[in-house]
Every structure is written in C-alpha cells, then in structure tokens.
Amino acid sequence: MAIWLASRKGADYFTKTLISTTFRSLRTSTTVIASFRDSDDSSTGSFRKPYLFFPCADSSPSAVFRSRRFESSQAGPQLDFFSSDDDDEQIQMNKEVAMKMYSGMLTLDSLDTVLYEAQRQGRISFYVTSFGEEAINLASAAALSSDDLIMPQYREPGILWWRGFTLQEFVNQCFGNKNDYGKGRQMPIHYGSKKHNYFTVSSPLATQLPQAVGAAYSLKAEKKDACVVAFFGDGSSSEGDFHASLNFAAVLEAPVVFICRNNGWAISTPTTDQFRSDGIVVKGHGYGIRSIRVDGNDALAVYNVVRVAREMAVTEQRPILIEAMTYRVGHHSTSDDSTKYRPADEIEHWKTSRNPVSIFRKWVQRKGWWSDEQESEFRADIRKQVINAIQVAEKTEKPSLENMFTDVYEELPSSLKDQERLIRNTIKRHPQDYPTDVPL
C-alpha cells in the first residue's frame, strides 16, 4: 500500500509536489499511473497526463469499469513508490493509532450492518451505509485534530465515532427518540454534535461546502490553530456550490481541506456521465488550489495525505483538495437498488479484492497487533453492543409534539403558533391517526 510522498519524502517535499500525484497500492490488479512536474511556483500545478486504471487480464465488467472510469485518461510515467507490504519503518503510524483505526472500521461495519437490517425490518425509516469507504472515515479522523471543524456529507460517521460519539448516540438519532440531539426532526443518519465539532448532516448536495469556506475564514481571522474539513462525493462536484466554494477558498486563502470521496457513482449516475475531466483533482487545479489524488481504500495512504494536508492548511493558511479514489460497495441508501444499474461482479470485486478493512487488517496482523481470535471476539461483542443500543432506543420515549416548532426562533411567531394549534385540533378529532408513542 503506497505511502510515497507524505512519509518517504517528508512534508517539505510533499508541499512542493502536492499537485496531482497518486498514492498507489501494489495489491490491486490495476496500475494507477500519474505524472506531475515539480514546480517552484507552489501556487500553480502542471498536471499534464492524467492517470489510467488499466484493465486486468480478464474482460469482466469490473475490469472494464476500472479501465473506463475516465474516458479522457492516458498513461504517463510511473511514480517511484514503496509498499506497506515491505513493513517500511517510515510508515508514520504507531500501534495505538492503528488499532483505534481498525477497531473503528469494524465498529462502523457492524453499525451499518445492524441498522441496515433494522431498516429492512421497518424499525427505522431510512439508512445509508459506508461500506467500501471505511478507510476514508477512520484514517482521516485519525489524521485530524479534535479542534478541526467537520462539515460532513453523509458517509462520515466514523469521524464522529473517533471523536467520542457513542453507539447509543448514533442509534438514538436513527430512531429519533427524545435523546436524539435533533429531537426527531432530522432523517436517520443526519448526525451532528457541537461537542465534537461535527456540523449536522444536510441532505441537499454541496450546501456544506460554502459554509466550510466561511467557517475556515473565521478561523483564519481569529488566528485559530485549526482548519475546516469538508467531505463530499463526486456527484457534488457537479453542483454550483462546489465551484463557488473552491474559488471562494482560493481567493480568501481559507484553511479548509476539501476531501472528495470519488466512489464512482452519484446514486445511479457513473462518473463517466458526470464529467469528461480527469476526475476531481484537476478541478481544484483550475481554481489554483493544491490538489492530490490518493487511494481511498488504503488507510495508511489516506492517513498520511490528510495529516500533511491538514498541517499545510493550518500553517500556510491555504485550501487543499484531496480526491480519494474508492468505490461505494453498498447501495446509495435503503431507497436504492444498485444492482439495477451496475453488474454484480463489479460490486463483488471491490467488496473482496479491494476491501479497505481487509487490506488494513492484513497490515496490522503482519505487525503482530491483531489476530483472528481477536477479530472474532471483537466483531461478536460490537454487534451485541449495537443490538443492545437499538433495544434501549426503541424503549425510549419520542420527543413531544411541541418540538416540531421550537429551536428556530427565540420567540415563536404567530404563524407557527397557528400551525401548532391546527395540528392539536386535528389530533383531537382523529386520535386514531396519531402515533401513540409521541407525547402531546
């Protein structure tokens, strides 16, 4: 698993060459190629020959998918690299961090599996999984400071877990009970926590990006030793807010790190139908922002890239764009059936051959930090914890009706008072249509 610039060359070299380079993995059956020019002018890049995912020897749909992710691709000279297979001492991660990252990946997988099942059982209304993107979640969380502000999309619960959000808090939100910080007014998985500097998830695409730049500019004005980290998917790059935000950040030199999870699909729309450019990284280039591409399924690579990018954003007070190449193994949400628009063997390839959890597990096991016995015990224990949290959440009372109208205005306006009066009168006339578990 390649961790080339950030760990082998160090931050100084990384600063000079943070243009459009690619961190690669030896385990993949594809070859990722990039070219770049080392430039003394750090404000501009010189990406000339975009990368190409070469197909395997077979001609399966998964191989074709990998070779055609971007039609405009062409080969360039290969980067020097080394692999974490070599157990290189310069991989900058200690046992404590590595084990918390790996346990977080397993926890996220268990949380997703059990809550997905709960939705299918009709116990919650909606759910979104992070299958295939666990490395981006936990590796980026480990590389950041707890003072950094997180502007999530909706596949970053691992970062919230890393900062101390409990399983019970996750489940309370999904069940919308009285202990849900949103008081039942948000869709499931729309987490938020002021305590953990994690802004509440918002469904509309890319709305968090201009907010991230504004928040980052305020950190700069207050001379805070922190940055804002904004997550988004490849589909969000088609939104106007994305382009406005990058220009906004570049002009104001705001300390914000944009992390794009390029997982190949915007619900059912593949990247080839979204744009003809070489991915997202060149878009940052166009706005004068240092940008880098990383193997999003390689936890070690993601950790090192985000760690150095965060340092640059804070110390140099400038924006950075990271494009993490990954794949959405699960459906977009419980409202989606991805088998309708992509072949099963494509999904299976990424689920098995390029599973970020399995890849990182092999590394920690080679280090002697993890065993098959620990794996079985941990998975069984964490599943029990999630199931117990669900049982507690289901028995917890729902928020009262009045919470539908509070927490927006300091004094409730007459229009909302009229709406509340109308609802209460309707409930009195038709009590059989109102859920009995919601207090009036």
Side-chain angles (χ1 to χ4, degrees):
M1 315 303 289
I3 308 168
W4 185 61
L5 294 176
S7 58
R8 189 174 187 183
K9 296 293 187 179
D12 291 340
Y13 189 87
F14 183 58
T15 299
K16 293 173 64 179
T17 56
L18 183 59
I19 300 174
S20 293
T21 56
T22 304
F23 283 38
R24 309 190 304 136
S25 168
L26 280 180
R27 290 192 183 90
T28 182
S29 57
T30 62
T31 302
V32 183
I33 291 179
S35 70
F36 67 95
R37 181 185 68 191
D38 191 1
S39 172
D40 292 330
D41 181 6
S42 59
S43 65
T44 60
S46 182
F47 192 88
R48 289 291 179 264
K49 296 180 180 179
Y51 77 98
L52 174 63
F53 278 2
F54 286 104
C56 309
D58 67 323
S59 58
S60 65
S62 61
V64 174
F65 169 79
R66 294 193 305 279
S67 67
R68 291 171 56 86
R69 278 192 74 172
F70 302 109
E71 293 284 353
S72 63
S73 298
Q74 55 182 310
Q78 182 169 315
L79 288 174
D80 178 26
F81 70 96
F82 77 96
S83 170
S84 57
D85 288 332
D86 302 327
D87 199 19
D88 197 291
E89 293 181 357
Q90 296 191 63
I91 294 176
Q92 300 183 24
M93 183 179 296
N94 59 38
K95 179 179 179 180
E96 181 181 4
V97 172
M99 295 317 302
K100 185 175 180 180
M101 278 175 52
Y102 186 63
S103 62
M105 290 182 183
L106 296 182
T107 300
L108 183 56
D109 271 10
S110 183
L111 187 71
D112 279 352
T113 298
V114 178
L115 284 175
Y116 185 91
E117 293 169 353
Q119 193 281 334
R120 290 307 192 220
Q121 295 166 359
R123 299 163 84 172
I124 59 176
S125 61
F126 178 81
Y127 196 71
V128 169
T129 66
S130 299
F131 295 134
E133 302 178 38
E134 298 90 346
I136 299 173
N137 263 259
L138 277 303
S140 58
L144 300 172
S145 164
S146 59
D147 293 328
D148 296 331
L149 307 181
I150 304 298
M151 296 281 191
Q153 189 179 30
Y154 40 67
R155 297 191 202 276
E156 292 80 31
I159 298 170
L160 198 47
W161 175 87
W162 180 277
R163 295 187 170 198
F165 210 68
T166 67
L167 292 176
Q168 192 64 62
E169 288 175 307
F170 280 115
V171 176
N172 286 340
Q173 197 284 326
C174 289
F175 278 80
N177 59 36
K178 69 176 184 179
N179 293 328
D180 166 27
Y181 301 130
K183 300 180 181 179
R185 294 175 298 208
Q186 275 277 19
M187 292 173 62
I189 67 89
H190 286 53
Y191 311 112
S193 174
K194 180 179 180 181
K195 175 183 176 182
H196 298 104
N197 288 325
Y198 191 97
F199 282 69
T200 302
V201 173
S202 178
S203 286
L205 291 184
T207 56
Q208 75 276 20
L209 300 184
Q211 296 168 6
V213 181
Y217 191 60
S218 72
L219 292 178
K220 179 176 183 176
E222 296 172 0
K223 302 186 185 304
K224 294 290 183 67
D225 185 24
C227 68
V228 177
V229 184
F231 291 84
F232 60 100
D234 48 275
S236 293
S237 70
S238 299
E239 296 287 333
D241 279 352
F242 166 80
H243 296 276
S245 299
L246 262 60
N247 190 55
F248 186 20
V251 172
L252 295 181
E253 296 185 336
V256 54
V257 179
F258 297 102
I259 301 181
C260 174
R261 298 173 291 93
N262 187 343
N263 62 24
W265 296 91
I267 309 184
S268 59
T269 304
T271 51
T272 49
D273 290 348
Q274 292 184 61
F275 43 73
R276 286 293 180 267
S277 63
D278 179 42
I280 310 301
V281 73
V282 293
K283 300 180 189 294
H285 235 189
Y287 289 102
I289 294 177
R290 288 178 181 170
S291 305
I292 187 167
R293 177 176 288 134
V294 63
D295 181 352
N297 288 24
D298 185 336
L300 297 169
V302 174
Y303 172 78
N304 278 273
V305 168
V306 175
R307 179 181 57 82
V308 177
R310 188 262 174 195
E311 180 182 353
M312 291 169 60
V314 173
T315 58
E316 299 181 25
Q317 295 291 286
R318 65 186 305 159
I320 305 291
L321 172 65
I322 299 171
E323 180 182 15
M325 305 301 294
T326 184
Y327 186 82
R328 192 196 77 217
V329 171
H331 306 299
H332 174 74
S333 71
T334 49
S335 302
D336 172 49
D337 180 2
S338 62
T339 62
K340 299 295 184 182
Y341 53 82
R342 57 183 185 176
D345 66 335
E346 176 184 300
I347 301 172
E348 187 63 23
H349 167 80
W350 289 91
K351 186 177 180 179
T352 55
S353 301
R354 295 294 298 134
N355 187 313
V357 181
S358 299
I359 291 170
F360 194 52
R361 176 186 175 181
K362 292 177 182 177
W363 186 78
V364 296
Q365 283 188 311
R366 285 201 311 275
K367 301 287 286 185
W369 297 340
W370 196 250
S371 66
D372 292 343
E373 182 180 356
Q374 288 173 292
E375 179 87 8
S376 298
E377 291 178 356
F378 188 91
R379 284 185 178 275
D381 179 65
I382 204 68
R383 181 178 175 84
K384 289 179 182 178
Q385 291 184 44
V386 177
I387 292 174
N388 180 69
I390 288 176
Q391 293 171 345
V392 172
E394 284 185 316
K395 296 175 183 177
T396 304
E397 189 178 58
K398 298 293 185 183
S400 63
L401 178 65
E402 64 181 9
N403 285 302
M404 289 181 62
F405 307 96
T406 58
D407 296 341
V408 176
Y409 299 97
E410 184 176 2
E411 293 184 10
L412 206 64
S414 59
S415 59
L416 289 184
K417 290 180 180 179
D418 291 341
Q419 288 182 34
E420 182 177 2
R421 190 179 306 110
L422 176 62
I423 290 176
R424 291 187 181 279
N425 290 335
T426 302
I427 293 171
K428 288 180 181 179
R429 293 197 305 270
H430 308 283
Q432 73 280 2
D433 296 331
Y434 186 75
T436 57
D437 60 343
V438 178
L440 293 175

